[in-house]
Amino acid sequence: TWAPAIPPSDLEEFGVAAATVGGLKVALYAVDGEYYATADLCTHGAASLADGFLDGELIECPLHQGTFNVKTGAAVGAPCSVAVRTFPVKLEGGLLHVGLPGGA
Ligand code: FES
C-alpha cells in the first residue's frame, strides 16, 4: 500500500524530514535526486532520525551520533549496530508516497 507523506520540497532544506504514514513515523530523505525512507526511530535509543544530520547517504542520529545508510538501513557507525527498517518511496501527484507492507 502506498501512503501519501510529504511534498519533496519539505526535503529541500535539510534533506531529511519526518512524516507519519499509516500510523507509522518515518523519516524521508533526498539523496542525489532520489528519495528514501526509513523508520524514524533510531534502533539504538529514543531518538528521531529526522532530527539528525544527513551527510550524503548517511543519517547521523542526533542523540549519540551513530549512523545509518538511508538506502539500505544498515547501521554503519557506532553505537548503532542494528539496521533500521527501510521503505520504498515514490513521487506521485506532487507528493512522496511511502510503501507500507500489507494492507496498512
Ligand atoms: Fe541513536 Fe543512540 S539513540 S545513536
Side-chain angles (χ1 to χ4, degrees), residues 21 26 29 36 45-46 48 61 65 71 73-74 78 83 86 93 99:
V21 289
V26 299
Y29 312 90
Y36 302 91
S48 165
C61 177
Q65 289 74 51
K71 297 183 179 180
T86 60

PDB file of all heavy atoms in Angstrom, residues 21 26 29 36 45-46 48 61 65 71 73-74 78 83 86 93 99:
ATOM      1  N   VAL A  21       2.895   7.967   8.423  1.00  0.00           N
ATOM      2  CA  VAL A  21       2.125   7.296   7.370  1.00  0.00           C
ATOM      3  C   VAL A  21       1.563   5.998   7.930  1.00  0.00           C
ATOM      4  O   VAL A  21       2.289   5.191   8.511  1.00  0.00           O
ATOM      5  CB  VAL A  21       2.985   7.002   6.117  1.00  0.00           C
ATOM      6  CG1 VAL A  21       3.312   8.283   5.381  1.00  0.00           C
ATOM      7  CG2 VAL A  21       4.258   6.273   6.470  1.00  0.00           C
ATOM      8  N   VAL A  26       7.963   7.826  10.054  1.00  0.00           N
ATOM      9  CA  VAL A  26       9.085   7.531   9.171  1.00  0.00           C
ATOM     10  C   VAL A  26       9.913   8.798   8.978  1.00  0.00           C
ATOM     11  O   VAL A  26       9.446   9.909   9.231  1.00  0.00           O
ATOM     12  CB  VAL A  26       8.627   6.996   7.791  1.00  0.00           C
ATOM     13  CG1 VAL A  26       7.845   5.706   7.950  1.00  0.00           C
ATOM     14  CG2 VAL A  26       7.810   8.027   7.046  1.00  0.00           C
ATOM     15  N   TYR A  29      14.168  11.003   3.072  1.00  0.00           N
ATOM     16  CA  TYR A  29      15.467  11.587   2.724  1.00  0.00           C
ATOM     17  C   TYR A  29      15.529  11.857   1.226  1.00  0.00           C
ATOM     18  O   TYR A  29      14.966  11.102   0.428  1.00  0.00           O
ATOM     19  CB  TYR A  29      16.601  10.607   3.057  1.00  0.00           C
ATOM     20  CG  TYR A  29      16.531  10.001   4.427  1.00  0.00           C
ATOM     21  CD1 TYR A  29      15.840   8.809   4.642  1.00  0.00           C
ATOM     22  CD2 TYR A  29      17.149  10.610   5.510  1.00  0.00           C
ATOM     23  CE1 TYR A  29      15.772   8.242   5.910  1.00  0.00           C
ATOM     24  CE2 TYR A  29      17.087  10.054   6.783  1.00  0.00           C
ATOM     25  CZ  TYR A  29      16.398   8.866   6.970  1.00  0.00           C
ATOM     26  OH  TYR A  29      16.336   8.310   8.226  1.00  0.00           O
ATOM     27  N   TYR A  36      14.310   8.331  -0.278  1.00  0.00           N
ATOM     28  CA  TYR A  36      14.412   7.125   0.538  1.00  0.00           C
ATOM     29  C   TYR A  36      13.617   7.336   1.819  1.00  0.00           C
ATOM     30  O   TYR A  36      13.352   8.479   2.216  1.00  0.00           O
ATOM     31  CB  TYR A  36      15.880   6.825   0.885  1.00  0.00           C
ATOM     32  CG  TYR A  36      16.731   6.655  -0.352  1.00  0.00           C
ATOM     33  CD1 TYR A  36      17.388   7.741  -0.914  1.00  0.00           C
ATOM     34  CD2 TYR A  36      16.832   5.422  -0.985  1.00  0.00           C
ATOM     35  CE1 TYR A  36      18.132   7.613  -2.072  1.00  0.00           C
ATOM     36  CE2 TYR A  36      17.579   5.271  -2.142  1.00  0.00           C
ATOM     37  CZ  TYR A  36      18.227   6.365  -2.684  1.00  0.00           C
ATOM     38  OH  TYR A  36      18.946   6.236  -3.836  1.00  0.00           O
ATOM     39  N   GLY A  45      18.224   3.932  20.431  1.00  0.00           N
ATOM     40  CA  GLY A  45      17.581   4.602  21.549  1.00  0.00           C
ATOM     41  C   GLY A  45      16.410   5.437  21.078  1.00  0.00           C
ATOM     42  O   GLY A  45      15.997   5.345  19.925  1.00  0.00           O
ATOM     43  N   ALA A  46      15.904   6.243  21.983  1.00  0.00           N
ATOM     44  CA  ALA A  46      14.689   7.006  21.697  1.00  0.00           C
ATOM     45  C   ALA A  46      15.026   8.326  21.028  1.00  0.00           C
ATOM     46  O   ALA A  46      14.935   9.386  21.638  1.00  0.00           O
ATOM     47  CB  ALA A  46      13.918   7.226  22.990  1.00  0.00           C
ATOM     48  N   SER A  48      14.802  10.592  17.199  1.00  0.00           N
ATOM     49  CA  SER A  48      14.200  10.728  15.873  1.00  0.00           C
ATOM     50  C   SER A  48      15.294  10.970  14.844  1.00  0.00           C
ATOM     51  O   SER A  48      16.000  11.986  14.894  1.00  0.00           O
ATOM     52  CB  SER A  48      13.220  11.910  15.893  1.00  0.00           C
ATOM     53  OG  SER A  48      12.888  12.290  14.574  1.00  0.00           O
ATOM     54  N   CYS A  61      22.418  10.028  13.785  1.00  0.00           N
ATOM     55  CA  CYS A  61      21.447  10.165  14.863  1.00  0.00           C
ATOM     56  C   CYS A  61      21.810  11.356  15.748  1.00  0.00           C
ATOM     57  O   CYS A  61      22.971  11.539  16.086  1.00  0.00           O
ATOM     58  CB  CYS A  61      21.418   8.880  15.692  1.00  0.00           C
ATOM     59  SG  CYS A  61      20.306   8.995  17.103  1.00  0.00           S
ATOM     60  N   GLN A  65      25.080  10.159  17.806  1.00  0.00           N
ATOM     61  CA  GLN A  65      25.842  10.301  16.559  1.00  0.00           C
ATOM     62  C   GLN A  65      26.181   8.973  15.876  1.00  0.00           C
ATOM     63  O   GLN A  65      27.146   8.883  15.116  1.00  0.00           O
ATOM     64  CB  GLN A  65      27.132  11.123  16.774  1.00  0.00           C
ATOM     65  CG  GLN A  65      26.858  12.604  17.021  1.00  0.00           C
ATOM     66  CD  GLN A  65      26.288  12.876  18.411  1.00  0.00           C
ATOM     67  OE1 GLN A  65      26.831  12.432  19.411  1.00  0.00           O
ATOM     68  NE2 GLN A  65      25.168  13.582  18.479  1.00  0.00           N
ATOM     69  N   LYS A  71      19.859   4.305   2.298  1.00  0.00           N
ATOM     70  CA  LYS A  71      19.442   3.493   1.154  1.00  0.00           C
ATOM     71  C   LYS A  71      19.188   2.044   1.568  1.00  0.00           C
ATOM     72  O   LYS A  71      18.298   1.391   1.043  1.00  0.00           O
ATOM     73  CB  LYS A  71      20.507   3.524   0.058  1.00  0.00           C
ATOM     74  CG  LYS A  71      20.736   4.910  -0.518  1.00  0.00           C
ATOM     75  CD  LYS A  71      21.744   4.860  -1.655  1.00  0.00           C
ATOM     76  CE  LYS A  71      21.950   6.241  -2.251  1.00  0.00           C
ATOM     77  NZ  LYS A  71      22.911   6.242  -3.361  1.00  0.00           N
ATOM     78  N   GLY A  73      19.448   0.980   5.112  1.00  0.00           N
ATOM     79  CA  GLY A  73      19.083   0.851   6.513  1.00  0.00           C
ATOM     80  C   GLY A  73      20.212   0.325   7.374  1.00  0.00           C
ATOM     81  O   GLY A  73      20.080   0.248   8.599  1.00  0.00           O
ATOM     82  N   ALA A  74      21.325  -0.055   6.756  1.00  0.00           N
ATOM     83  CA  ALA A  74      22.428  -0.655   7.506  1.00  0.00           C
ATOM     84  C   ALA A  74      22.984   0.315   8.541  1.00  0.00           C
ATOM     85  O   ALA A  74      23.137   1.511   8.273  1.00  0.00           O
ATOM     86  CB  ALA A  74      23.544  -1.070   6.547  1.00  0.00           C
ATOM     87  N   ALA A  78      29.057   3.357  14.932  1.00  0.00           N
ATOM     88  CA  ALA A  78      28.775   3.089  16.334  1.00  0.00           C
ATOM     89  C   ALA A  78      28.188   4.351  16.985  1.00  0.00           C
ATOM     90  O   ALA A  78      28.541   5.459  16.581  1.00  0.00           O
ATOM     91  CB  ALA A  78      30.057   2.675  17.041  1.00  0.00           C
ATOM     92  N   ALA A  83      20.249  -2.668  12.095  1.00  0.00           N
ATOM     93  CA  ALA A  83      19.758  -1.918  10.940  1.00  0.00           C
ATOM     94  C   ALA A  83      18.395  -1.292  11.237  1.00  0.00           C
ATOM     95  O   ALA A  83      17.597  -1.833  12.006  1.00  0.00           O
ATOM     96  CB  ALA A  83      19.646  -2.844   9.727  1.00  0.00           C
ATOM     97  N   THR A  86      13.729  -0.029   6.280  1.00  0.00           N
ATOM     98  CA  THR A  86      13.577   0.897   5.152  1.00  0.00           C
ATOM     99  C   THR A  86      12.242   0.650   4.448  1.00  0.00           C
ATOM    100  O   THR A  86      11.665  -0.438   4.564  1.00  0.00           O
ATOM    101  CB  THR A  86      14.705   0.720   4.113  1.00  0.00           C
ATOM    102  OG1 THR A  86      14.671  -0.616   3.622  1.00  0.00           O
ATOM    103  CG2 THR A  86      16.068   1.013   4.713  1.00  0.00           C
ATOM    104  N   GLY A  93       1.831  12.674  -8.084  1.00  0.00           N
ATOM    105  CA  GLY A  93       0.906  13.788  -7.857  1.00  0.00           C
ATOM    106  C   GLY A  93       1.507  14.858  -6.974  1.00  0.00           C
ATOM    107  O   GLY A  93       0.788  15.507  -6.214  1.00  0.00           O
ATOM    108  N   GLY A  99       5.795   3.239   0.678  1.00  0.00           N
ATOM    109  CA  GLY A  99       5.231   1.912   0.512  1.00  0.00           C
ATOM    110  C   GLY A  99       5.225   1.170   1.836  1.00  0.00           C
ATOM    111  O   GLY A  99       6.273   0.943   2.424  1.00  0.00           O
TER     112      GLY A  99
END
